[in-house]
Amino acid sequence: DGRLLAEDLAPWSLGFTWRDAFSIPLQIPVTVTLGPIPLNIDLASSLLYSPQEWVVGFAHHSDGLTVAFDLSWNRWSGYQPPTLELDLDVTIPVVPIDLKDAFNADPHTKDTWTPRVGVEWRAWRGERNDFWLRAGYAFEPTPFPEQTALTTYLDGDRHLLSAGVGVTLRELPIFGALTEDSAVRLDAAIQYDVIASTVH
């Protein structure tokens, strides 16, 4: 019945997150007058690009142990290179000068999938304090292909390893016993990134 189904699903959590792409577009028009000759230069760039992301995750909770997993889809195919684009407009009478516009070559980035897994274990439970151990791993594949032509975006697959500890204090020397809502929690974590080597 519904009650039994609710009991079966109680240890599970499910979440979903969507984040739109973000970047800072820059457009700087510049006009330089060289005597009677106007020189118009339009500078354009895109900074601090982060891709659109769709993330789904779930976790299972048991007595003192939580295991979580999530998977994100990252839309790197919309990546905008940060290098400047130059649009030149100049008319020089008599002198046969043809100035070419500068452009950004297509980086040919591809969408990626990032899996992440994390574990939290309550290694000690006492009347006054709890002690937690945590660990995690994630794999972020590079969105850039091997660089063989006009671009030089050097990147590699990334492995992320993390570890952490936590302490929950339900009693303090000055304040005495604390409720569960007012308990003091101290956490510390470290993350180590390993970028796979690559040759271009």
Side-chain angles (χ1 to χ4, degrees):
D1 59 11
R3 183 174 59 84
L4 294 178
L5 179 61
E7 292 178 355
D8 292 338
L9 295 179
W12 293 91
S13 298
L14 177 67
F16 174 78
T17 301
W18 172 81
R19 185 182 72 178
D20 203 1
F22 174 81
S23 64
I24 299 178
L26 297 180
Q27 290 186 341
I28 306 174
V30 178
T31 300
V32 179
T33 302
L34 304 175
I37 303 173
L39 174 62
N40 298 316
I41 307 175
D42 289 331
L43 307 177
S45 180
S46 180
L47 305 178
L48 300 178
Y49 180 85
S50 62
Q52 182 185 113
E53 290 185 351
W54 299 70
V55 186
V56 62
F58 62 88
H60 184 270
H61 312 273
S62 61
D63 186 23
L65 179 66
T66 299
V67 179
F69 174 82
D70 68 49
L71 183 67
S72 66
W73 173 74
N74 316 293
R75 189 176 177 271
W76 279 105
S77 57
Y79 175 72
Q80 299 295 324
T83 48
L84 285 175
E85 292 185 1
L86 304 180
D87 185 8
L88 303 177
D89 181 13
V90 60
T91 302
I92 303 178
V94 182
V95 182
I97 296 179
D98 185 17
L99 300 177
K100 300 296 184 181
D101 296 339
F103 71 99
N104 289 326
D106 187 350
H108 298 290
T109 48
K110 63 182 184 297
D111 298 338
T112 62
W113 294 88
T114 301
R116 300 179 181 88
V117 62
V119 178
E120 180 184 65
W121 176 50
R122 184 171 55 203
W124 167 263
R125 179 176 178 84
E127 294 182 0
R128 300 180 179 180
N129 54 62
D130 296 340
F131 183 72
W132 302 84
L133 294 176
R134 303 181 180 100
Y137 170 77
F139 174 69
E140 293 186 352
T142 176
F144 295 97
E146 183 179 357
Q147 303 295 290
T148 58
L150 299 177
T151 58
T152 54
Y153 298 105
L154 301 183
D155 193 28
D157 296 336
R158 187 185 305 265
H159 302 268
L160 297 91
L161 305 170
S162 64
V165 295
V167 177
T168 302
L169 303 176
R170 288 187 292 275
E171 184 174 338
L172 296 176
I174 299 177
F175 299 96
L178 303 174
T179 65
E180 193 65 30
D181 292 336
S182 62
V184 176
R185 293 174 175 83
L186 304 175
D187 299 290
I190 186 172
Q191 178 175 297
Y192 182 66
D193 294 8
V194 179
I195 301 178
S197 62
T198 182
V199 177
H200 296 286

